[in-house]
């Protein structure tokens, strides 16, 4: 028996890690996929068209697949091996194939459509209706419902787009790797911290030099030079190489030029959107997001820009004056900004993450985190050492409400070999009502990459790491505290892209409050909690140049969104002209003529952020505004906590996101709390 395929009942819902091996992955996925295909065929043949006869069996099949796949992808992320990598690649392609088939299944679409138009639909509960609505929406977005010739055009455009976006990212990669500069004398690199010099020296060795340093355009090389290197000419050279990557300008002009790719990607996207009856790609992007209309997003960005720009301008003048008075720098060039900003930051807020570490032993932070969420949401988190996990570093915890177990999570905190870097939350089990009437409880995987403990002593966390832990736990709560029973909109499932980061950023706030600091900090020697003076200093440092940071993000967001709204092949929209116009409106420092930022803006031209870059700011606004109710009513106010849990965390993706927010906040989101939190507005 394949241990990945034991039937899930509420009692045996957790993966049997002691029996699971890489060799089980492919047979398990193969079996589930083939049984799912058979099921769909049977459903269509039987003309099933009710919730119970159609949607529920489909959900069960998808959930079974998810329960197996979540284990496979988790192993791939935290226990990788050459063998697994091969299997994983094959399985990804099998899954993609399966989901493409599903999305293109016209008969299945018609069946869902009949259900949506039937008398039964009106009798279903809100989350069931949302499941059906989402399905129909996704079918339409995948081109179902088009006539045969449009369907053909649709799939050709899709194909073309995937070739173009791939070529875009290859150009960026090649251009990034296609420039290096060897530096013989370390004098030229004065100002760089030791760690950066070591990295550059090791890069030089890799390239066969027995001494010296090598500059590259990768971030770990680029950033330290721009931030610390005293040599202005060198910074300028590096800046120019970086900002002209994959373009018609700079040291490799024309070699990996993305100019044509950008034009073609944009005209293909507009054509795709029009085939699906949208006016433009920006509108198409919003079809599955919280933001209601193109005007709403633009209004949102402009409102932030109006408030942030004057502050950003002041920050820039202060920086210019500082560089002039202290270093005789007459005016700031684009390649000077990061450099003098760092000098000024050090002068004003000399505070290092290392200094803060003694206050944050990991056991204290965890206990504090669980206390914070207990106070806020009236839940209890308990370690369950008897539950098996996939690695000795990972531990299982259960979450209880009113004495009853409602969810669980695996916590895997430390970096190790064969584990992917970064921090994330992923679902392991989704809350849903099982066929026998019992509940499958939601289970989350929470993964970080903190420094492992040495000699059995507690690891000490930086404050950044503490914030990361709270962030991921916020995602986890969104998944675990849901009360929804339909898997497609339960927990984090079905939550719009521009809302996903709301619960995570929201919970970060408790890392910055005078009232919560004593819960989460205790000096590993003296037991003293983080002093208020230090917290104040951290807050001031957090606000440093936040206006400049904000307008930069707004520039990217506006460029992305306006381009996907306005681009027209027939009118020969010029990407650079559009970007220039936006910069004139919201930038504090216009970059040189040769700059080709757009040519390496992979987020929107080859990542998933097309007409969606605004989501970063959108979710920040939601999180800050939700938190502002706690500031008004008390950051540990029980009723406010219950209201947040009920209106936001419990509903998952089952409700229109704006309705959800309004139910909690009593009004639509306001940008003011974010501006206040960033220190931009008093
Ligand atoms: Zn996140």
């Amino acid at each position: 028996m394949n241990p990945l395929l034991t039937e899930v009942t509420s009692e045996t819902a957790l993966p049997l890690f002691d029996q699971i091996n890489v060799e089980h992955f492919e047979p398990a996925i193969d079996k589930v996929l083939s049984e799912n295909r058979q099921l769909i065929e049977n459903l269509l043949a039987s003309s099933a068209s009710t919730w119970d006869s159609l949607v529920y069996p489909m959900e069960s099949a998808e959930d079974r697949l998810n329960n197996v796949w979540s284990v496979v992808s988790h192993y791939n992320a935290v226990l990788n091996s050459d063998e697994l990598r091969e299997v994983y690649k094959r399985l990804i392609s099998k899954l993609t194939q399966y989901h493409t088939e599903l999305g293109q299944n016209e008969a299945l679409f018609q069946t869902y459509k009949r259900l949506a138009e039937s008398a039964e639909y009106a009798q279903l509960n809100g989350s069931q209706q949302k499941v059906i609505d989402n399905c129909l929406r996704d079918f339409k977005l995948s081109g179902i419902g088009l006539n045969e010739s449009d369907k053909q055009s649709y799939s050709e455009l899709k194909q073309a787009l995937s070739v173009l976006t791939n070529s875009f990212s290859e150009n960026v990669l090649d251009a990034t790797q296609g420039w290096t500069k060897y530096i013989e004398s370390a004098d030229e690199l004065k100002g760089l911290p030791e760690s950066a010099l070591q990295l550059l020296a090791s890069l030089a060795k890799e390239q066969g030099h027995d001494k010296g340093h090598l500059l590259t355009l990768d971030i770990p090389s680029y950033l330290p030079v721009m931030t610390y290197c005293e040599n202005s000419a060198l910074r300028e050279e590096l800046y120019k190489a970086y900002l002209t990557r994959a373009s018609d300008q700079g040291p490799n002009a024309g070699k990996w030029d993305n100019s044509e790719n950008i034009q073609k990607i944009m005209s293909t996207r507009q054509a795709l959107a029009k085939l699906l009856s949208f006016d433009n790609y920006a509108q198409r992007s919003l079809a599955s997001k919280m933001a209601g209309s193109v005007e709403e997003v633009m209004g949102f960005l402009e409102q932030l820009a109006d408030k942030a720009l004057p502050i950003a301008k002041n920050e820039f003048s202060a920086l210019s004056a500082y560089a002039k008075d202290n270093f005789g720098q007459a005016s700031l060039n684009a390649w000077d900004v990061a450099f003098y900003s760092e000098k000024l930051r050090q002068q004003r807020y000399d505070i290092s993450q290392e200094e803060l570490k003694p206050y944050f032993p990991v056991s204290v932070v965890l206990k504090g985190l669980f206390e914070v969420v207990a106070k806020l949401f009236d839940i209890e988190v308990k370690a369950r050492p008897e539950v098996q996990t996939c690695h000795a570093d990972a531990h299982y915890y259960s979450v209880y409400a009113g004495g009853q177990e409602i969810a669980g999570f695996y916590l895997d905190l430390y970096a190790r070999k064969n584990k992917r870097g970064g921090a994330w939350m992923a679902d392991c089990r989704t809350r849903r009502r099982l066929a026998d009437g019992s509940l499958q409880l939601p289970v989350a995987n929470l993964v970080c990459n903190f420094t492992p403990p040495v000699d059995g002593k507690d690891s000490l966390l930086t404050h950044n790491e503490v914030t990361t832990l709270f962030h991921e736990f916020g995602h986890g709560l969104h998944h675990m505290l849901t009360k929804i029973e339909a898997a497609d909109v339960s927990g984090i499932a079905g939550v719009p892209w521009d809302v996903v980061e709301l619960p995570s950023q929201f919970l970060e706030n408790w890392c910055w409050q005078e009232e919560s600091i004593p819960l989460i900090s205790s000096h590993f020697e003296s037991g003293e909690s983080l002093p208020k003076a230090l917290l104040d200093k951290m807050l001031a440092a957090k606000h440093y140049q936040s206006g400049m940071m904000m307008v930069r993000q707004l520039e990217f967001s506006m460029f992305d969104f306006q381009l996907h709204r306005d681009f027209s092949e027939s009118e020969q929209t010029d990407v650079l002209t559009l970007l220039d116009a936006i910069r004139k409106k919201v930038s504090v420092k216009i970059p040189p003529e040769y700059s080709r930022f757009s040519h390496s803006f992979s987020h929107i031209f080859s990542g998933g952020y097309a007409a969606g870059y605004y989501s970063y700011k959108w979710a920040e606004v939601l999180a800050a505004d939700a938190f502002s109710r706690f500031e008004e009513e008390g950051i540990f106010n029980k009723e406010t906590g219950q209201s947040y849990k009920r209106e936001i965390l419990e509903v998952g993706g089952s409700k229109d996101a704006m309705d959800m927010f309004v139910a909690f906040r009593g009004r639509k989101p306001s940008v003011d709390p974010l501006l206040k939190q960033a220190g931009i507005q008093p």
Side-chain angles (χ1 to χ4, degrees):
M1 180 64 192
N2 190 320
L4 274 165
L5 294 174
T6 44
E7 198 190 346
V8 172
T9 67
S10 49
E11 289 78 36
T12 59
L14 296 173
L16 304 170
F17 290 114
D18 60 344
Q19 299 171 36
I20 293 172
N21 263 314
V22 177
E23 71 214 33
H24 297 123
F25 292 168
E26 194 156 20
I29 292 285
D30 283 346
K31 187 160 191 296
V32 175
L33 288 183
S34 107
E35 287 176 9
N36 284 7
R37 285 187 169 107
Q38 189 58 50
L39 172 84
I40 294 166
E41 212 171 284
N42 296 347
L43 288 174
L44 292 173
S46 72
S47 61
S49 63
T50 64
W51 178 272
D52 288 340
S53 66
L54 172 75
V55 187
Y56 187 77
M58 285 294 294
E59 180 191 293
S60 303
E62 281 300 301
D63 187 62
R64 182 170 175 233
L65 177 58
N66 190 50
N67 284 349
V68 178
W69 181 247
S70 64
V71 173
V72 177
S73 64
H74 189 59
Y75 269 73
N76 183 59
V78 304
L79 289 168
N80 207 321
S81 63
D82 291 344
E83 184 193 4
L84 175 51
R85 205 169 297 177
E86 283 310 305
V87 175
Y88 187 78
K89 247 194 273 172
R90 281 202 300 278
L91 292 183
I92 280 279
S93 110
K94 287 180 181 180
L95 274 188
T96 311
Q97 169 68 21
Y98 169 75
H99 284 121
T100 311
E101 267 167 47
L102 263 187
Q104 300 296 333
N105 192 324
E106 182 78 36
L108 195 61
F109 166 64
Q110 293 299 341
T111 318
Y112 270 87
K113 210 170 136 200
R114 273 200 301 281
L115 175 55
E117 288 157 359
S118 72
E120 189 197 348
Y121 179 84
Q123 311 294 323
L124 297 173
N125 67 38
S127 46
Q128 290 172 318
Q129 290 181 346
K130 190 79 166 69
V131 168
I132 296 169
D133 296 349
N134 286 356
C135 268
L136 289 177
R137 178 198 69 198
D138 295 341
F139 270 129
K140 284 183 185 149
L141 292 178
S142 69
I144 282 236
L146 297 175
N147 66 38
E148 279 315 309
S149 88
D150 283 351
K151 240 186 207 162
Q152 182 63 30
S153 322
Y154 183 84
S155 87
E156 281 165 19
L157 287 169
K158 270 290 213 197
Q159 198 59 42
L161 191 59
S162 97
V163 173
L164 289 165
T165 52
N166 190 47
S167 158
F168 183 96
S169 62
E170 279 175 7
N171 278 344
V172 175
L173 190 68
D174 289 345
T176 305
Q177 290 172 353
W179 184 95
T180 57
K181 185 181 171 76
Y182 176 68
I183 307 239
E184 180 123 38
S185 150
D187 288 354
E188 284 195 63
L189 294 170
K190 232 177 102 200
L192 254 70
E194 201 40 50
S195 60
L197 285 172
Q198 274 170 14
L199 175 85
L200 300 182
S202 73
L203 291 173
K205 287 229 167 64
E206 267 171 44
Q207 235 203 18
H209 300 277
D210 48 4
K211 59 182 172 72
H213 298 82
L214 193 76
L215 304 192
T216 75
L217 297 179
D218 287 318
I219 289 293
S221 151
Y222 176 74
L223 266 191
V225 176
M226 296 311 292
T227 313
Y228 300 107
C229 185
E230 305 276 348
N231 183 340
S232 163
L234 190 62
R235 287 201 312 269
E236 180 180 2
E237 190 182 346
L238 189 66
Y239 175 88
K240 185 165 185 179
Y242 189 80
L243 264 297
T244 55
R245 280 175 304 155
S247 79
D248 56 333
Q249 300 284 321
N252 281 313
K255 195 161 177 195
W256 297 285
D257 189 359
N258 266 332
S259 303
E260 205 179 301
N261 277 337
I262 293 177
Q263 294 293 322
K264 284 189 178 158
I265 286 171
M266 289 312 301
S267 54
T268 310
R269 281 188 183 148
Q270 293 301 43
L272 268 173
K274 294 214 162 104
L275 261 183
L276 299 174
S277 308
F278 294 104
D279 293 341
N280 50 58
Y281 198 86
Q283 224 179 49
R284 187 248 170 269
S285 154
L286 296 187
S288 53
K289 295 196 172 75
M290 172 180 176
S293 69
V294 168
E295 294 71 32
E296 192 180 353
V297 173
M298 279 315 295
F300 165 77
L301 295 172
E302 268 156 20
Q303 201 187 353
L304 281 176
D306 281 347
K307 306 254 171 109
L309 189 58
I311 307 296
K313 282 185 171 156
N314 285 342
E315 289 166 357
F316 191 75
S317 324
L319 181 66
S320 306
Y322 165 79
K324 192 169 173 205
D325 297 347
N326 295 277
F327 301 91
Q329 181 80 21
S331 74
L332 288 180
N333 298 301
W335 51 90
D336 297 325
V337 177
F339 177 74
Y340 289 108
S341 291
E342 175 59 21
K343 285 211 176 312
L344 180 57
R345 192 190 66 81
Q346 279 179 9
Q347 191 202 58
R348 281 196 194 162
Y349 318 101
D350 185 20
I351 188 167
S352 81
Q353 288 289 327
E354 286 302 313
E355 233 176 289
L356 303 172
K357 274 170 102 168
Y359 292 97
F360 297 109
V362 71
S363 62
V364 172
V365 176
L366 269 184
K367 190 165 160 277
L369 167 64
F370 299 157
E371 259 177 82
V372 166
V373 298
K375 275 171 175 272
L376 280 172
F377 307 125
D378 212 7
I379 53 173
E380 203 185 343
V381 178
K382 275 194 216 158
R384 297 273 309 278
E386 78 282 11
V387 176
Q388 51 170 300
T389 64
C390 70
H391 188 274
D393 278 358
H395 301 283
Y396 189 77
Y397 295 80
S398 287
V399 180
Y400 302 84
Q404 206 182 352
E405 189 180 3
I406 57 164
F409 61 93
Y410 298 93
L411 187 64
D412 184 353
L413 287 178
Y414 305 114
R416 64 173 172 266
K417 208 170 160 241
N418 296 323
K419 178 173 169 181
R420 188 201 300 153
W424 68 90
M425 191 286 293
D427 56 323
C428 170
R429 296 284 185 258
T430 302
R431 188 179 197 266
R432 69 183 287 259
R433 183 68 65 184
L434 298 171
D436 65 2
S438 63
L439 271 176
Q440 170 173 279
L441 296 182
V443 177
N445 276 311
L446 293 162
V447 185
C448 300
N449 269 282
F450 301 152
T451 313
V454 181
D455 300 334
K457 273 187 235 141
D458 239 359
S459 259
L460 301 175
L461 303 184
T462 65
H463 187 258
N464 285 342
E465 290 174 329
V466 174
T467 313
T468 300
L469 183 64
F470 273 67
H471 179 102
E472 300 309 334
F473 205 76
H475 283 306
L477 289 176
H478 199 191
H479 188 62
M480 294 188 286
L481 298 192
T482 191
K483 286 239 165 119
I484 302 302
E485 299 181 357
D488 285 347
V489 291
S490 167
I492 53 166
V495 174
W497 180 290
D498 47 1
V499 184
V500 169
E501 296 298 328
L502 157 60
S504 50
Q505 299 190 13
F506 167 82
L507 202 64
E508 287 180 23
N509 285 293
W510 277 264
C511 303
W512 297 93
Q513 306 303 312
E514 215 184 315
E515 290 135 284
S516 50
I517 283 291
L519 294 178
I520 60 169
S521 66
S522 168
H523 195 284
F524 80 107
E525 284 167 344
S526 69
E528 180 200 15
S529 69
L530 186 82
K532 181 167 182 327
L534 261 180
L535 177 65
D536 288 343
K537 228 168 139 184
M538 285 156 62
L539 281 164
K542 189 185 176 200
H543 293 160
Y544 176 59
Q545 288 191 343
S546 57
M548 280 164 64
M549 234 136 53
M550 173 89 73
V551 294
R552 211 171 132 71
Q553 286 296 315
L554 291 171
E555 176 190 318
F556 300 163
S557 305
M558 285 176 164
F559 169 63
D560 163 48
F561 207 75
Q562 266 176 249
L563 183 65
H564 284 92
R565 180 190 66 180
D566 298 342
F567 185 89
S568 152
E569 198 179 5
S570 57
E571 285 169 35
Q572 296 182 312
T573 306
D574 182 54
V575 174
L576 298 175
T577 314
L578 184 95
L579 182 53
D580 275 348
I582 291 166
R583 281 180 172 152
K584 286 203 179 90
K585 244 168 74 183
V586 298
S587 294
V588 289
K589 175 75 203 166
I590 307 280
E593 261 312 278
Y594 59 71
S595 159
R596 293 287 183 271
F597 163 76
S598 49
H599 289 58
S600 57
F601 196 6
S602 300
H603 270 83
I604 70 162
F605 292 117
S606 61
Y609 279 87
Y613 200 85
Y614 80 88
S615 299
Y616 285 114
K617 277 281 160 281
W618 186 272
E620 269 177 45
V621 162
L622 298 179
D625 197 8
F627 179 67
S628 71
R629 197 179 142 193
F630 286 85
E631 287 178 309
E632 289 158 15
E633 299 171 3
I635 75 148
F636 282 120
N637 186 308
K638 283 226 177 305
E639 272 160 48
T640 320
Q642 282 304 317
S643 167
Y644 178 83
K645 180 171 147 213
R646 194 173 54 242
E647 308 298 351
I648 309 255
L649 296 177
E650 288 181 1
V651 303
S654 71
K655 207 170 158 181
D656 174 79
M658 185 59 87
D659 293 346
M660 168 195 90
F661 188 87
V662 171
F664 171 68
R665 200 62 186 90
R667 54 164 174 72
K668 289 195 165 188
S670 154
V671 299
D672 292 336
L674 176 66
L675 293 167
K676 198 178 137 223
Q677 213 175 77
I680 288 174
Q681 198 160 275

